[in-house]
Amino acid sequence: MDRLIKPEVQELNFSFTKGQKCTQTFNLTNLMHTMPVAVSLTSTDPSVFSLHPSLSVLPPLSTASFSLSFTKPHHQPPLSTPPAVVVRSSMLPTRKASHDHLLHLFSKPGPHIFKDATIPISFVGLNVAQFLLSPCSNSLELDFQFSKAISVCDEKQLSSLLRSAVANGKSHFISTLIEAGADVASCRERCDEDETLMCLAVKSGKIESLEILIESGCVVDPSVDLLLHVAAAANHVDMMEIVCLSHVDLDLNAVDMQGRTALHIAALNGHVEAIQFLISVGADVDVTDREGWTPLHFAAENGHLDAVERLLAQAVFAKYAVNRDGKTAFGLAVERGNSHLYDVLQLGDALQRAARLDDVHAMKSCLAQGAKVNGVDQNGWSPLHRAAFKGHLESVRLLVSHGARVDSVDGSGYTPLLRAVEAGHVEVAMYLLSHGAKASLKSLSGVVKFDLNHPSLVNPLH
């Protein structure tokens, strides 16, 4: 015989409730037909658990109840080391024994002591599962405990846990919950003011979570699932790609309650990667919200230079659009003191225009306000290119005195000197040469040489 006592359970499912005392009862049966058996119960973690009674005598073939309790209420289940109840026994020919006698009996190891069972303790219930899903839990090491914990949860609790799993990025538990009975379909709808399940997945940034939900039949409802907005707010471009690939008919210009598109949200937050992706798949750069704000308005108000530049590269009229308050993107930048945006939003254009018109006063004003003297237009022309090409000597002098680069190259490979020579402006060409411009230059079409004594004689070499 290898044991005297038989437990009626293979495992103790301990129902844990945060902050409350918890007790679990179980039965032990004496297998001896004619002799009583002394029983000793111990916990592998006595600092957490207490057993009652811990010592007992069972008559032949009798069954007795025992209880396992927390020593004090806990706020979280002690899962770091899986606990267990150890059952030991010894035959008791005397049929009776005092408590002290039993203590003495089990205090010394020997062949008279049987180790009948080690009953593992599993924590189950909603509170346990919620703890395992919390950000502070290292739940990757507790997969088995999680499966046990949710085994006693009903469908409503499982669906609630699914929301927590998705929100906290616990993607490895999502499939477990769905297989256990969590209702993916019901989680598509808003829960009070909470976000939908799909939105929570996108916000978490966990690609695995989103993929599992899509594979499980959780579809996008355009009326509540503004997934691109959520992804844009967090700059989750990888999530945007999955959403667009999975839902090819998705409206890229869908709006929220303020009439803002996902591109508005990306611009508001200055998320350049999200802006670039949305533009690449067809988002409207010039779209306005209910207050007449374009994405450029938001980027300018919040001082996002990179975002402003990306939007301007694709916008048609956003640079000049006026919101309901009568303000352009430049006006908002000025209002907020975002001086680093002045050039790209307005002053650069104004300086180019003034250089073309030889309006020296306007040029001085633009430069004083922060216009970049070496800024270029869509063709790579700097203000100096434009002034030199027009033959405006006073404008050329002003620009050079403010640091204009005399050998800057435009989109066709021409310097300001080449543009002056091309247009036959000898005096401007001589001035540029006297200020460091190279006499022998190369454009995209070939080498251009000219006689320093007769700079009007140009000889392109093709």
Side-chain angles (χ1 to χ4, degrees):
M1 177 177 290
D2 57 357
R3 64 176 181 172
L4 307 177
I5 295 295
K6 177 184 178 181
E8 293 188 358
V9 293
Q10 298 297 316
E11 184 176 24
L12 287 171
N13 288 328
F14 205 93
S15 183
F16 174 84
T17 303
K18 182 168 61 176
Q20 296 182 16
K21 292 183 179 180
C22 306
T23 300
Q24 177 69 30
T25 60
F26 58 98
N27 295 332
L28 299 177
T29 299
N30 180 0
L31 298 177
M32 301 298 290
H33 287 71
T34 60
M35 186 175 295
V37 171
V39 178
S40 170
L41 302 180
T42 56
S43 165
T44 56
D45 192 351
S47 64
V48 175
F49 296 101
S50 63
L51 287 150
H52 182 79
S54 59
L55 294 169
S56 184
V57 175
L58 273 64
L61 298 177
S62 66
T63 298
S65 293
F66 297 82
S67 63
L68 175 71
S69 303
F70 273 137
T71 55
K72 59 181 179 180
H74 283 64
H75 290 287
Q76 63 187 46
L79 299 174
S80 56
T81 302
V85 173
V86 178
V87 181
R88 296 184 300 158
S89 64
S90 179
M91 289 185 287
L92 196 63
T94 60
R95 295 182 176 270
K96 293 182 180 181
S98 65
H99 186 270
D100 290 341
H101 178 73
L102 293 177
L103 282 175
H104 179 74
L105 178 66
F106 288 104
S107 65
K108 297 180 180 180
H112 64 289
I113 301 296
F114 291 77
K115 187 174 180 180
D116 295 277
T118 299
I119 308 173
I121 302 171
S122 293
F123 294 91
V124 299
L126 182 63
N127 281 197
V128 179
Q130 287 173 335
F131 169 75
L132 292 172
L133 291 174
S134 65
C136 63
S137 171
N138 186 15
S139 50
L140 281 171
E141 300 177 358
L142 302 171
D143 288 350
F144 177 74
Q145 285 93 329
F146 185 77
S147 296
K148 292 295 297 184
I150 65 174
S151 63
V152 298
C153 294
D154 59 28
E155 182 180 317
K156 183 177 180 180
Q157 291 174 327
L158 290 171
S159 298
S160 173
L161 291 169
L162 180 59
R163 290 183 63 82
S164 297
V166 173
N168 292 323
K170 305 285 187 175
S171 55
H172 51 289
F173 285 156
I174 295 176
S175 295
T176 303
L177 286 162
I178 294 174
E179 291 171 2
D183 186 359
V184 175
S186 68
C187 290
R188 285 179 51 210
E189 302 175 358
R190 289 182 181 273
C191 178
D192 297 328
E193 296 300 319
D194 293 337
E195 294 169 292
T196 66
L197 197 63
M198 292 288 280
C199 287
L200 290 173
V202 172
K203 181 178 285 187
S204 75
K206 294 288 185 179
I207 294 177
E208 300 86 351
S209 299
L210 185 60
E211 290 176 336
I212 292 171
L213 291 176
I214 293 173
E215 291 172 3
S216 299
C218 192
V219 299
V220 172
D221 182 347
S223 65
V224 293
D225 285 310
L226 295 176
L227 301 185
L228 291 180
H229 288 68
V230 177
N235 206 27
H236 290 323
V237 177
D238 50 357
M239 303 295 258
M240 289 183 178
E241 292 175 349
I242 292 175
V243 169
C244 289
L245 287 173
S246 302
H247 306 87
V248 293
D249 58 345
L250 195 67
D251 183 2
L252 298 171
N253 296 304
V255 298
D256 60 14
M257 295 181 66
Q258 288 77 41
R260 299 173 184 174
T261 66
L263 190 57
H264 280 100
I265 304 302
L268 173 65
N269 291 281
H271 292 153
V272 177
E273 294 83 0
I275 291 172
Q276 184 172 342
F277 174 81
L278 288 167
I279 291 175
S280 71
V281 295
D284 186 357
V285 179
D286 293 306
V287 66
T288 58
D289 67 5
R290 292 181 179 176
E291 298 299 321
W293 287 53
T294 65
L296 185 62
H297 278 96
F298 285 107
E301 183 187 48
N302 290 282
H304 301 311
L305 176 59
D306 290 343
V308 165
E309 290 177 337
R310 292 297 176 91
L311 292 166
L312 284 174
Q314 300 295 326
V316 176
F317 66 83
K319 189 173 185 177
Y320 314 102
V322 177
N323 64 17
R324 287 192 178 181
D325 294 326
K327 295 176 182 177
T328 62
F330 175 75
L332 290 172
V334 172
E335 185 178 89
R336 290 299 183 96
N338 295 326
S339 58
H340 60 293
L341 301 181
Y342 295 174
D343 178 78
V344 68
L345 286 172
Q346 179 170 307
L347 295 181
D349 286 350
L351 183 59
Q352 291 271 2
R353 184 170 56 254
R356 186 179 74 249
L357 298 175
D358 200 26
D359 189 341
V360 175
H361 177 74
M363 292 172 66
K364 289 180 179 179
S365 176
C366 288
L367 291 169
Q369 293 180 70
K372 295 180 181 178
V373 70
N374 291 304
V376 298
D377 63 11
Q378 65 272 19
N379 297 312
W381 280 46
S382 69
L384 186 58
H385 277 93
R386 201 163 296 284
F389 181 73
K390 289 292 186 179
H392 299 321
L393 183 59
E394 288 304 312
S395 293
V396 169
R397 286 175 174 169
L398 175 67
L399 291 168
V400 172
S401 70
H402 279 79
R405 292 192 292 269
V406 295
D407 287 328
S408 63
V409 179
D410 65 17
S412 299
Y414 281 74
T415 64
L417 175 59
L418 276 175
R419 291 299 180 190
V421 171
E422 177 187 32
H425 300 303
V426 177
E427 193 173 2
V428 170
M430 295 300 295
Y431 178 84
L432 291 172
L433 285 168
S434 68
H435 283 78
K438 295 178 181 178
S440 181
L441 304 152
K442 184 177 181 181
S443 72
L444 294 182
S445 59
V447 177
V448 178
K449 294 183 178 180
F450 52 89
D451 189 335
L452 294 179
N453 296 316
H454 304 282
S456 61
L457 302 177
V458 181
N459 178 28
L461 301 178
H462 297 287

